[in-house]
Amino acid sequence: MLQPFRLALALVLVSGAAAGAEPATWARVDRKRSVTIASTPAEPLPVVHVAAEARTVFLFSAPIQRKTLTFDESRIRVLDVGERSIIVQPVANLTDGERQEIGVFFADGRAPTRAAFVLVTDPRDVDALIDVQRPEPPNTACQPTAQVPAPRPEDFVLLGYVDAKGVTTSRRKGKLDAAQGFILNKIVAFRGTGWILADVTILNRPDHSAWTPREAMFVGRVGTPLRARLVAEKPGAILPGGEGRVLAAVEVPETEADFIFTLEVRGDGERRLTIPDVRFLKPAAEDAL
């Protein structure tokens, strides 16, 4: 007679113990959202919430250069890098006030060339999926009489291209590969806040055909080449015996060391302008007031 009662009592006690053993549910809420990256160095980086118990997936709207990915390996794990994706997970929850930066360059060279984010841990939620968007290019449709205002010195400071460290330069002259038919009149290497620019003046030898520069790449000793924006002072071909000036610029991560690149400018046919050992000097120290 007592056996059913004892069984029921045992079930009640077991179920009560199990209920008491359930942990309090403090799970973070998973978020899926779109994030637009900064278009200039002066803009704040988008903030992404990460957590040690979750993975965060970044999906990019364009292919990325995997070898240009930068992050603190002691704090962040990168679980996978694809053509258009990155999966990350912190080694441990980031401490209160800790901000970890992660960044990568796009493969197409279109501005903005780099996507960067600030990673933090929030007790309330975690970003499971980040749909990375690039800012839309400005609307070029305008009235026929409208003119773009000439840039002013203050514009460069307001846009963040020049800061208190100023701009460093190096220059050199010398002959290039005679087989390609170019003579290097001058190259000036500029380095500012988050960018480098090579200002190149060359002579197309008289015994070679006309040549039109088409694209430029900065090739480092390690890592993936960086596709640069190329601007010619005078659009069109550089005629035999003629002189031409081109400028190649690209965004780069900020470091306290010199950059050394080989500059390649490709043009018509198989001819290319190759300038080795172009040195971009490290930023100058800020003067104390």
Side-chain angles (χ1 to χ4, degrees):
M1 295 293 293
L2 295 177
Q3 188 173 0
F5 173 78
R6 289 174 181 172
L7 179 59
L9 178 60
L11 291 174
V12 170
L13 292 176
V14 169
S15 62
E22 289 183 358
T25 55
W26 297 99
R28 293 177 172 85
V29 177
D30 288 352
R31 299 194 301 179
K32 298 179 181 180
R33 60 194 181 99
S34 295
V35 168
T36 302
I37 61 174
S39 57
T40 69
E43 292 184 27
L45 300 181
V47 176
V48 175
H49 293 176
V50 296
E53 68 274 11
R55 299 176 180 181
T56 298
V57 180
F58 293 86
L59 294 181
F60 297 86
S61 57
I64 57 177
Q65 299 185 42
R66 306 179 191 183
K67 294 184 179 180
T68 65
L69 182 63
T70 55
F71 61 98
D72 185 348
E73 296 183 10
S74 68
R75 302 296 291 144
I76 303 297
R77 295 191 191 98
V78 172
L79 305 178
D80 184 69
V81 182
E83 183 182 6
R84 293 173 178 252
S85 64
I86 300 172
I87 303 176
V88 304
Q89 187 174 19
V91 174
N93 284 332
L94 304 182
T95 59
D96 187 23
E98 181 180 2
R99 297 163 65 87
Q100 291 290 331
E101 181 175 327
I102 185 170
V104 67
F105 281 89
F106 288 100
D108 59 12
R110 183 173 66 82
T113 58
R114 183 172 184 260
F117 311 88
V118 170
L119 307 182
V120 302
T121 294
D122 189 287
R124 297 163 297 182
D125 51 52
V126 60
D127 289 314
L129 177 64
I130 295 293
D131 186 11
V132 181
Q133 301 294 323
R134 295 167 95 175
E136 292 293 330
N139 187 3
T140 56
C142 58
Q143 298 299 324
T145 57
Q147 294 183 352
V148 177
R152 299 163 298 179
E154 56 267 35
D155 294 329
F156 296 98
V157 175
L158 291 173
L159 290 172
Y161 293 121
V162 178
D163 62 9
K165 296 180 180 180
V167 176
T168 58
T169 63
S170 65
R171 65 184 67 204
R172 73 179 224 237
K173 299 180 179 180
K175 292 185 177 180
L176 299 176
D177 185 358
Q180 295 295 325
F182 298 112
I183 298 175
L184 176 62
N185 283 353
K186 181 179 64 174
I187 178 171
V188 182
F190 295 85
R191 180 172 175 181
T193 307
W195 57 270
I196 58 174
L197 182 148
D199 182 355
V200 185
T201 304
I202 59 169
L203 177 68
N204 189 14
R205 295 174 65 94
D207 54 344
H208 283 69
S209 61
W211 182 75
T212 302
R214 303 288 187 185
E215 61 180 4
M217 302 282 287
F218 286 104
V219 182
R221 295 172 180 173
V222 295
T224 304
L226 303 178
R227 185 182 299 275
R229 299 184 297 278
L230 183 67
V231 177
E233 182 180 34
K234 297 179 180 179
I238 304 174
L239 300 177
E243 185 178 82
R245 181 187 181 196
V246 295
L247 295 92
V250 70
E251 282 74 29
V252 294
E254 295 188 38
T255 67
E256 295 299 324
D258 292 355
F259 285 125
I260 301 177
F261 289 104
T262 293
L263 173 61
E264 292 185 358
V265 182
R266 302 170 184 174
D268 299 330
E270 298 298 323
R271 292 178 68 192
R272 68 176 60 184
L273 169 66
T274 303
I275 309 175
D277 299 325
V278 181
R279 184 178 295 272
F280 298 89
L281 301 178
K282 65 182 179 180
E286 296 185 28
D287 294 331
L289 296 178

